[in-house]
Each structure stands twice: as C-alpha cells, then as structure tokens.
Amino acid sequence: EVQLVESGGDLVHPGGSLRLSCVVSGFTFTDLTIGWFRRAPGKKREGLAAISIDDGRVYYEDSVKGRFTISSENDKNTVYLSMNNLKPEDTALYYCAAHRHYCTGNDCWDLYEYYGRGTRVTVSS
C-alpha cells in the first residue's frame, strides 16, 4: 500500500523554525520525485519545493527560496522540509506528495499522484 505520512507541524512564533518529515512506503524510494505543498485557509494549493530522490536535484518556488530547504534521507525513506524565518503567511496545512516522473520544476506540480494527509503549521505571536 502506498503511504506518505507527514509530521513535525506545530505552532511557532514569527521568525521561528520547523522541520517537517515525510515518510514514504509502498514505493521504490529512488524511483520517486517528492514535493511539498501547502494549502492556507481560503487559498488554493501551492507547490513549494521538490526533490528527485535518485539524483538529489531540487527545485524551489520563489515564495520559499532561501528560507526552506528540502532534503532526503534515503535509508529512512524520508524527505524533510526545513523551514526558517517563518512568517504568519506561512500558516497552512503542509503535505507531501509523490510521482514517478523525472520532473521537479514549476511545470511539474500537476504530475503528483499520491498525497499524504498533511501536518499543520501555525505561525503566530
């Protein structure tokens, strides 16, 4: 069974940091591209960052470039999203997703086939 399970969401103050985790099962991990998305209240889904597990190629949307880092720990079938200098506008449900195409750019967000349920991040003072 294909599963993606996120964790690490929390309530943090502006300027704080969090690291989200996405544990993947039911796939050959190195066949995958994993992306992180978020959906803020009243807004549409937003793709943030992606990583090709096989070669480590990464992509970031401008909205998070320089503040968020995507990485993988292949022996644990886990992808991380490290988030620094968090802002109130980063408040959202964050979730990871997977596809099996070699594509990480901003024209790839519609390729994702498998999604986790998400972990909630709230940035507030």
Side-chain angles (χ1 to χ4, degrees):
E1 180 185 357
V2 170
Q3 276 195 318
L4 296 95
V5 180
E6 304 92 339
S7 63
D10 206 344
L11 169 64
V12 295
H13 294 306
S17 299
L18 281 175
R19 188 177 78 161
L20 308 182
S21 300
C22 171
V23 179
V24 181
S25 60
F27 290 107
T28 300
F29 194 56
T30 51
D31 287 347
L32 300 176
T33 295
I34 304 293
W36 280 98
F37 295 76
R38 68 185 177 192
R39 187 186 296 273
K43 295 188 177 180
K44 64 180 181 181
R45 185 189 77 176
E46 178 184 13
L48 304 174
I51 184 167
S52 171
I53 299 302
D54 184 42
D55 64 3
R57 186 174 76 168
V58 298
Y59 171 80
Y60 298 96
E61 288 288 345
D62 288 344
S63 58
V64 301
K65 195 176 294 182
R67 295 193 301 128
F68 290 9
T69 302
I70 190 169
S71 61
S72 69
E73 196 166 0
N74 292 5
D75 59 344
K76 295 184 177 180
N77 281 18
T78 300
V79 172
Y80 302 101
L81 185 69
S82 298
M83 307 186 294
N84 297 316
N85 191 24
L86 284 162
K87 306 173 182 180
E89 52 264 41
D90 294 317
T91 295
L93 181 68
Y94 285 72
Y95 51 101
C96 59
H99 69 70
R100 289 172 287 186
H101 311 278
Y102 186 70
C103 187
T104 55
N106 64 1
D107 56 347
C108 307
W109 298 124
D110 290 338
L111 296 177
Y112 289 83
E113 303 170 82
Y114 306 97
Y115 291 82
R117 293 189 173 185
T119 185
R120 190 161 299 279
V121 173
T122 303
V123 185
S124 175
S125 54

